Amino acid sequence: MAHTAGEAVARIAYLSTHVVLSIQPALAIDSHFSKHLHTYSATRLPGVVAEKAPEVVALRHNVDPLLSAFQPLRSGKLVAVTTSSSVLLQSVPHLYKLAQYPIVIHVSLHASPTPDYSDITAIRQSGFIFLQSETLQEAQDLALTAHALAIKSGKGVIHFFDPANSRDDSPIEPEDPELVRDVLGLDTTRALLPLPDNSTSIYVDDGRRATVAEEITSASESSHSEGLATKGLPSGTVVEKPSSGGGSSVGSSVRESSADSRPTVSSATSIETPSTRPVTSDDVYELLETIWSKINRATGRSYRTFEYTGPENAESALFIFGSTGLFVDELGAAKSSDEFAKCGLITARLYRPWNGLHLAESLPASVRRIAVLEQIRRKTTKWGPILLDVLTSLHTKPSAGGSIMVVGHQLGYIEPATVHQALRGIFQNLSLATPYQNLEVGSRDGPLHPPDQYGLTQPKVESAYMKILDQVFGERLYLANRLGAANAGVSATIAASPEYGFGSLLARKDHRSRFIGDVKTAAASHDFATNVPRSWLSKWALSAEDDTIVNTIAPEVIARLSNDGSKIASTLLESKSLFFKESQWLLGSDAWAYDLGNSGVHHVLASGANFNMLIIDSQPWSERAAADATRRKKDIGLYAMNFGNAYVASVAVYSSYTQVLEAMIEADRFKGPSVVLAYLPYNKEDDSPLTVLQETKKAVDLGYWPLYRWNPENEESSEPNFSLDSERIKQELEEFLKRDNHLTQLMNRHPKFAANLSESYGTEVRALQKRKAKDAYDAMLESLYGAPMTILFASDNGNAESLAKRLGNRGKARGLKTMVMAMDDYPLEDLPTEENVIFITSTAGQGEFPQNGRAFWDAVKDTTELDLSQTKYAVFALGDSHYWPRKEDKHYYNKPGKDLDARVAFLGGQKLADVGLGDDQDPDSYQTGYGEWEPKLWQALGVDKVEGLPEEPPPITNEDIKIQSNFLRGTIAEGLSDTSTGAISASDQQLTKFHGTYMQDDRDLRDDRKAQGLEPAYAFMIRCRLNGGVASPSQWLQMDSISSSYGNETMKLTTRQTFQFHGVVKSKLKSAMRGINKALMTTIAACGDVNRNIMVSPLPTNSAFHRDLHHISAKISDHLLPSTTAYHEIWLKDNDSDEKQTKVAGDAVVDNEPLYGPTYLPRKFKITIAVPPHNDTDVYAHDIGLIAIKDADGERLEGFNVLVGGGMGVTHNNKKTYPRTGSMLGYFPASRIHIVCEKIMLVQRDHGDRKNRKHARLKYTIDDMGVDVFRSKVEELLEAKFEEAKPFEFKSNIDTFGWQKDEFGMNHFLMFIENGRVEDTAEFPMKAGLREIAKVHKGDFRLTPNQHLCLSGVPDDDLDMIKGMLKKYKLDNLHFSGLRLSSSACVAFPTCGLAMAESERYLPELITKLEGCLEENGLRQDSIVMRMTGCPNGCARPWLAEVAFVGKAYGAYNMYLGGGYHGQRLNKLYRSSIMEEEILDIMKPLLKRYASERQEGERFGDFVIRIGMIKPTKEGKSFHEEVAEEESDGE
């Protein structure tokens, strides 16, 4: 049901066009239409005109939105516009041209405070056809009429209505799509839809005119065959150009006499071809009659150009051009005694072309007086336009009873309670012998509430660029069109426009030039009290245009003038701001500072003035195809470079903060105009920074928005003008520039910006790749025999792909011609030609297809054109029946496979076997179901009894890779030198972990790169080995440099107290490794199946004890370090070096691993050291946890209590996997603790599970053996016994923030770094601040296990300096909630390949949404340990948190409660697969209850157990028992 006129009209517009331009107050604010349009678009509702779902494009009201109609119209598409009337007047220059295209503009009259119909009357001569509707049903029917009329006439139609008029109407049924199709006449006029034309101008009249064939069929003749009513209408496809030899002008031709009811011409041409002529008003009337007759026969509803309602013998009538609702109700309820009881009512359905004859014919012959009510607030003439139309129309009417008196009235706002009174006043005036003309009825100003105006607001995300400008230029910054600046006598809209800003800058420039002249004159005068100011003024005048010098001198000059006290000094001081050389900027923004046609850019460039322009482009990369190529902002850079006199930069703050800084500084220094194009993509103004980040990465990575700088002044210093800063496309684009004679395209004075070619290129490449791959495979199979079998897979984690390849090999062994491809790599149009197709798919997210099958599925589910009646098929699906435990989510289990099976069957496919379902909960996981399904497939194909099948080799395991790696060498060196790909081989990916680096790809970009025919955006994560998390200032600076030079300009402080870099591309990997080595650090064994980085509590208050522990950690680390020389050989040795390894027996090098052996450990191995009462290293969570025990004096280290078997890794819904806290072995003295660690590791090496990596950690070895047996084996190797554990107590596992002193009087500051991410943003230049501090700091940097940073060893003499620097860079801010200070998150998206959901990028947002509740309940300062991870592998140690969220699918998390505040107890599952809304619904009442019901000193984790919300987890093996939400079986 349609409830509002906006909804009804939006649906018709959507069904009847290819493109709908939805004009809105802002992208985040809906219009009357937009909510419905976006709903239709999101659900992919099919249209009637468009073969697929129509395209809905959201546009802001202030960006000259009707310009965006030209590009789709000229490409042969039907276009609809939905808008308020506020945009009409500003669009007048375009309306005359658009009127000659089949466009429909649906106008909801803007209530401010009441609808103003002058927005319509002001454009009545624009050449458009105008239709008006009043009720909800009329809005739907006339919207359909408008689209049919546009198609059949080839002319533009404006359909307008007041939404308030039908606000109380009952809901109506939506129009039947078949009726829409019939009324539009698509079945018979499909060939008559608009054809593309070659026009390119969007501001100059291109001469196009809507024309009609001479032989038009009249409405009466077509009554028997409505489909042929428009037989002769070419729907605007014929383009007539005006003759240069005479004829009427455009202006005169489109203006029609309101008095003349003869056919009028909507064309400027006076020379016609023999077969066509311009569309006339008679043509419009006939077409309209035909359309309305169709609607009448289908619905019974009838319409006329003028509607008369009332008595047939009425003597008086109201002609209302405005909101009629209140008058209709009052007239209908009139009593016989009322003056208006026998009054008629007239309204115009067709406003233009005006048909005076139809108006006269619609009136009863008895009518003698007509009151014309015009709802027009902006009155520009004495007589209203409607009054003149009515007067001239009725002047020609033959009347037996005499002439008709017409009286004009101005209709304002009328309260419902005063309608009766208003009507009485109207008719009393009408009955006078000499009525008053232009009598005002109602209030002109309307109600007292504020008007509904669209104000200009700056989106919050734009603050990133504004803050950078403020930071870089400070008081020097002058933003000429700053939003909200006071400009006397100028509206905010005008003052914020770049054109106005440019004018103000020119005036400001002239003012300063005059001021410089005044200063020079003053310097030569003798009117000062002393001669001191003269010398300073002379010095200033010589450098007045040099900002570096003049801004240094200016304060001194001002001071001297202030001391002088003379009249001339006082005069100069009145303009003292001009002594400074400003950094002057103009800002262009779609949201509030739209530059009409980029004229401001042109004028600034042409002026040559030394002004800077910052132009923000907010067009998301994902919507680039919908963008109008003629209005694309990124091409402004190319345009500006062609001028030759401008500095140009293309930047993106969410891609490279450093490059933005460089560009702004260079732009300011450049002596001439500068253009900085700033990318800030968002779909709505209130989009989160995460959305902006993801869109920016796509655009930059795929080359849509290249980062570059162009500086013509560089030629003077023999440096290149062009600097490309986009890393991923650098090589390709540089090669292109060289091949293209270094910017010959840029040097073209009139470049063509062919957006359509570049935007379709990736799609064509992808299709060509698919075709070539399949054709090559087909050719290879030609010589083979046997039935063909095509296997298509969709796989996220590799299981479905491995299964598909194995099935393919088995098929070949049975004599079948097999082909194995990813679904998205297969050309869908070939599917009907396949004889046998096997689909294998896993399940991703919420029952979604994996990445490499989504495009295939989207195409299959939407098509109705595939005929698979000759194709046999089978489907095998992989899933987890326990993954979605709630009943309402059961259907997600193996949903992709089930959906695909049903869809292929619907398209006619013949089943070879029922869909197979592999379940991870079965004894052999998905292999159980597969083992039952595969024999059925062979039987159906007739190859089940083949003998002599070869044995299949066992799959290669990690153990095989390690033993064949030649002590971790593999083919890493060869892979690094392969420039054809950014990746390395799968086996080398396992081996590089031992070297401290993981291969990853940017998951934000996966889909888009695949669509462009590109491989994933491969890059590497590098993790350092940093004993105890202690780094010197020089090491910090080196890490900072590496992150900027080789990584993504950020550093990650990890939960294992070390540095981690992301985004290092393969070509820079070796250089980054060498840079780390140069800092006397390494990455070996930071990852892999070896002992990893050893953690130590930072202990800011006890430095001597910290030194003891740091020494011990280094001793253990060095003792357990792998001995292979492969690391040095691959990463550090020069390629040209003569240094060679001595090899024996072929390729075997003389390498030895005395501790690890050639296969190293079964799985990773982690050691940590904690110092009671602080368990900040989570000592229970690691393979070995060492609890430091002090001597009797409590001063120095004595020994350790040794915990073993802690571990965090889990697999969702696999109850054989679980987290575990460490078990106590006993106490051992510190002197031999490195040997103890060695022996524990050796027992794990020899007894750990090497067959099942999910069961390979030490925690499972201990649970399999038992703690006592494990202890005895360690003691046997150690040849010593553990003592009884010493007493200890933990009180916290979070960091203690702020300033603290140690026993030596040194100062330590522990600062909060949210989730360990060190980066620069416009709001918080953290990385830059720490870099500056490292340059002067004399102590060290201690990384904490909670991802924060301790600035250690600050002497009192440096304390004030360091505090000042911390304050300057906002690093001293600790005013955060206790929840935020106690939180932690892993990296997750976009780089971690294991992530199922966001973590680091989302947890801060979630905490923000909870902090209001904390404030309300007095919990802001309370520490509650909350952790989040993107997968269950547990990098942020979530299983020990009081409340934890572990990613299950994108946007969905498992919620765990009840962890121990001291890190001593595991939590337990409370809710599975919940989204943000449910998280907040659980947490907010729970926090309120905790605040009111907790006991003294009771921690949150203990509280939820005490009140019975969750059961305590007493050991790892009971982690899955007694959970709050049981996981049920099957479907």
Side-chain angles (χ1 to χ4, degrees), residues 1-17 20 32-38 40 45-49 54 80 82 106 139-140 143-144 147 172-180 184:
M1 302 288 284
H3 294 78
T4 67
E7 181 180 1
V9 172
R11 187 172 184 275
I12 293 297
Y14 184 87
L15 294 175
S16 306
T17 53
V20 184
H32 287 109
F33 313 93
S34 59
K35 179 180 178 181
H36 311 292
L37 288 170
H38 296 311
Y40 302 148
L45 179 72
V48 171
V49 168
T82 60
H106 296 287
Q140 179 168 280
L144 177 56
H147 285 279
I172 61 172
E173 290 291 338
E175 209 75 273
D176 183 357
E178 287 305 313
L179 175 61
V180 174
L184 295 180

Side-chain angles (χ1 to χ4, degrees), residues 142 258 818 912 1146 1338:
L142 292 189
S258 60
T818 63
L912 290 165
K1338 299 169 185 173

Side-chain angles (χ1 to χ4, degrees), residues 635-664:
D635 286 343
I636 292 174
L638 188 59
Y639 178 72
M641 281 187 272
N642 274 271
F643 264 79
N645 68 333
Y647 173 90
V648 184
S650 175
V651 303
V653 68
Y654 282 89
S655 178
S656 177
Y657 176 86
T658 303
Q659 191 237 3
V660 178
L661 290 176
E662 291 174 346
M664 288 183 173

Side-chain angles (χ1 to χ4, degrees), residues 1066-1143:
K1066 187 170 75 171
S1067 61
K1068 293 186 175 182
L1069 190 55
K1070 200 166 186 177
S1071 298
M1073 292 289 205
R1074 289 183 174 185
I1076 293 169
N1077 183 258
K1078 184 179 179 181
L1080 303 180
M1081 295 166 63
T1082 185
T1083 66
I1084 190 170
C1087 321
D1089 299 341
V1090 287
N1091 174 58
R1092 299 189 178 184
N1093 196 55
I1094 297 178
M1095 298 165 63
V1096 177
S1097 176
L1099 290 179
T1101 59
N1102 196 335
S1103 291
F1105 199 66
H1106 182 267
R1107 278 200 300 269
D1108 292 345
L1109 295 178
H1110 190 260
H1111 173 74
I1112 287 289
S1113 72
K1115 189 174 183 180
I1116 298 171
S1117 180
D1118 292 343
H1119 184 65
L1120 302 183
L1121 202 65
S1123 300
T1124 178
T1125 59
Y1127 184 86
H1128 175 85
E1129 180 183 321
I1130 294 170
W1131 305 109
L1132 307 180
K1133 187 180 71 174
D1134 291 332
N1135 293 333
D1136 299 330
S1137 171
D1138 293 332
E1139 185 180 351
K1140 300 285 185 183
Q1141 279 286 354
T1142 305
K1143 297 184 178 181

Side-chain angles (χ1 to χ4, degrees), residues 843-862:
T843 306
Q846 291 181 281
E848 299 161 1
F849 269 78
Q851 295 271 3
N852 56 357
R854 288 181 187 173
F856 178 88
W857 169 242
D858 287 343
V860 168
K861 74 177 181 181
D862 291 338

Side-chain angles (χ1 to χ4, degrees), residues 73 78-79 98 100-104 150-151 154-156 194 208 235-236:
L73 283 169
L78 291 174
V79 177
L98 287 174
Q100 305 305 323
Y101 288 89
I103 184 174
V104 177
I151 292 175
K155 286 184 61 66
R208 179 190 175 101
S235 303

Side-chain angles (χ1 to χ4, degrees), residues 1287-1332:
F1288 66 93
E1289 181 184 12
F1290 286 127
K1291 296 182 179 180
S1292 171
N1293 77 339
I1294 65 168
D1295 291 333
T1296 304
F1297 296 98
W1299 283 103
Q1300 302 171 74
K1301 271 190 181 291
D1302 65 18
E1303 69 274 34
F1304 303 116
M1306 301 298 281
N1307 301 283
H1308 307 257
F1309 182 73
L1310 208 157
M1311 66 188 73
F1312 174 73
I1313 298 181
E1314 192 157 30
N1315 299 319
R1317 181 64 63 183
V1318 179
E1319 63 181 341
D1320 281 335
T1321 66
E1323 294 82 7
F1324 189 11
M1326 177 200 306
K1327 190 165 177 275
L1330 289 170
R1331 180 169 59 248
E1332 294 305 311

Side-chain angles (χ1 to χ4, degrees), residues 708-728:
Y708 64 81
R709 286 166 290 143
W710 167 265
N711 191 345
E713 288 182 348
N714 283 353
E715 290 182 353
E716 299 173 7
S717 56
S718 300
E719 295 179 5
N721 289 2
F722 189 83
S723 175
L724 185 65
D725 302 315
S726 301
E727 179 57 48
R728 295 201 182 281

